[in-house]
Amino acid sequence: MSVSRRDFFKLTASAVSGGLIAAKSLSAAEINQEKYADNYAMLNDCTKCIGCRGCQTACKKSHEGLSHTGNDSRYDMPLDINADNYTVIHLFKETDDKWSFVKKQCLHCNEPSCQSVCPVAAFHKRDDGIVSYDSGKCIGCRYCLVACPFNAPTFEYDSATPKVQKCDFCKDIRIAKGETPVCADVCPRGAIKFGKRGDLLKEAKRRIKNNPDKYNTHIYGEAEIGGTSVLYLAPKDISFADLGYKMYGETPPIELHESIQHGIFKYWIPPVALYGALGLLAYNNMKKHKSNPLSEETDNES
Ligand code: SF4
Ligand code: SF4
Ligand code: SF4
């Protein structure tokens, strides 16, 4: 199995965080689900999805600025979320009997890594649970892309004024008007249910209890990395690893990010180290030049 550079950073961070913060950070039991119960949330039920991709198309059409065409005005289905597609439907298929569609997007984490690593606070977990992004603050460092456990943020590499892009929960075009997100609205199968996180968790548990032969009993996002606002139900014989979701523990990684970042910036280590190194280099060059002032001319002449 090949491990990308991005995955390597994530795995290293997870391994280190597991060791460093297991003793002091929140466990699933300690995470107060009540704290997030009133947050806006979404329940993506993979057993209901028929892969029509209406949600994907509607999301793209409703968000101004997302490109609608590929080269030569042809439009191809994207293989994954990208700067022009906040959500995509993937198909997992092992056999004719074992398959499922799954919707990929930003999960609007309860304890978002993107927010904790961003050095200029361009990401913000709002009181209603939505993780929003402010392009006006963003400096394009792309630390958020590396830190996100779900590879949700993407970057406009081909733009002169690039921004980070990700699902915004339709906060401006729908939520601000008291309406439900576009994808949940258009789904012909009711596979995307929008509501309050506490209610949707109850709904997910009710579906599992009433349909034991249909559902995997695990609700993805209930506890992973401290819980997410986007929750998933999967078919009985299909795991979330099958669907492309990593099986994270319950500890949010943000404590590690914050302890490293705060440690670094508290003592101004990067600027001091940088200027110290540059000063040393300049001093050495000066010394070399003084001990042999003709060296440069000699070098040039030879
Ligand atoms: S609109 Fe509904 S059924 Fe169609 S792909 Fe999206 S989630 Fe699946
Ligand atoms: S899924 Fe990634 S981008 Fe979305 S809130 Fe979580 S850490 Fe941030
Ligand atoms: S909530 Fe809005 S932005 Fe997010 S995937 Fe659905 S339609 Fe797109």
Side-chain angles (χ1 to χ4, degrees):
M1 189 186 78
S2 68
V3 178
S4 68
R5 194 169 58 159
R6 203 183 205 197
D7 282 343
F8 174 77
F9 281 125
K10 283 187 222 302
L11 289 170
T12 308
S14 302
V16 175
S17 67
L20 280 182
I21 60 180
K24 68 187 259 269
S25 60
L26 305 170
S27 71
E30 288 168 319
I31 293 166
N32 186 356
Q33 296 287 3
E34 288 303 310
K35 179 178 170 189
Y36 305 109
D38 286 333
N39 281 2
Y40 286 130
M42 189 172 270
L43 176 60
N44 289 336
D45 187 335
C46 300
T47 71
K48 291 177 183 280
C49 177
I50 54 170
C52 69
R53 294 188 168 87
C55 52
Q56 186 179 310
T57 310
C59 172
K60 190 179 176 73
K61 279 182 76 175
S62 59
H63 283 85
E64 208 177 314
L66 299 191
S67 166
H68 289 237
T69 56
N71 291 337
D72 304 327
S73 298
R74 283 175 282 116
Y75 174 68
D76 295 314
M77 277 294 161
L79 290 177
D80 206 345
I81 49 176
N82 57 43
D84 283 313
N85 295 277
Y86 293 167
T87 187
V88 296
I89 297 293
H90 284 157
L91 168 64
F92 160 78
K93 186 176 179 195
E94 197 169 280
T95 66
D96 285 350
D97 297 324
K98 188 177 177 186
W99 60 269
S100 173
F101 291 104
V102 61
K103 183 176 189 285
K104 190 170 177 192
Q105 63 178 98
C106 163
L107 270 62
H108 296 266
C109 307
N110 289 340
E111 315 271 343
S113 297
C114 55
Q115 173 179 268
S116 80
V117 301
C118 180
V120 291
F123 282 92
H124 168 59
K125 176 81 174 169
R126 307 192 328 178
D127 289 345
D128 61 10
I130 296 173
V131 177
S132 68
Y133 162 76
D134 182 346
S135 62
K137 291 182 178 170
C138 179
I139 54 170
C141 69
R142 286 159 282 163
Y143 200 2
C144 53
L145 272 71
V146 177
C148 173
F150 305 109
N151 293 340
T154 57
F155 194 66
E156 295 177 321
Y157 287 101
D158 56 359
S159 165
T161 52
K163 297 194 291 283
V164 170
Q165 294 281 21
K166 70 169 198 74
C167 159
D168 61 2
F169 246 29
C170 295
K171 65 181 171 55
D172 298 325
I173 60 171
R174 291 298 187 106
I175 301 287
K177 299 179 204 162
E179 297 168 354
T180 57
V182 176
C183 55
D185 214 24
V186 301
C187 178
R189 296 273 300 154
I192 308 166
K193 190 171 168 80
F194 182 73
K196 295 292 173 79
R197 190 173 187 272
D199 295 339
L200 292 182
L201 270 174
K202 283 184 199 149
E203 169 72 16
K205 286 174 186 168
R206 190 189 61 73
R207 287 186 198 178
I208 292 169
K209 188 172 170 225
N210 292 346
N211 304 279
D213 295 332
K214 184 176 175 185
Y215 287 104
N216 180 333
T217 54
H218 185 79
I219 304 169
Y220 195 89
E222 180 178 16
E224 278 80 10
I225 59 154
T228 58
S229 265
V230 177
L231 305 163
Y232 284 89
L233 285 173
K236 187 176 176 54
D237 296 326
I238 294 179
S239 71
F240 286 100
D242 288 335
L243 297 177
Y245 279 88
K246 292 200 173 80
M247 301 314 293
Y248 292 113
E250 298 169 357
T251 304
I254 66 167
E255 288 187 29
L256 174 70
H257 304 148
E258 287 176 3
S259 61
I260 291 174
Q261 271 196 182
H262 294 177
I264 288 172
F265 287 100
K266 186 173 178 184
Y267 301 109
W268 290 95
I269 291 171
V272 169
L274 177 66
Y275 287 116
L278 287 174
L280 197 64
L281 195 67
Y283 176 73
N284 279 341
N285 281 345
M286 215 165 65
K287 238 171 68 176
K288 197 173 140 196
H289 187 71
K290 269 188 186 160
S291 65
N292 184 6
L294 295 176
S295 61
E296 203 174 297
E297 289 147 47
T298 311
D299 288 348
N300 288 343
E301 281 164 16
S302 60

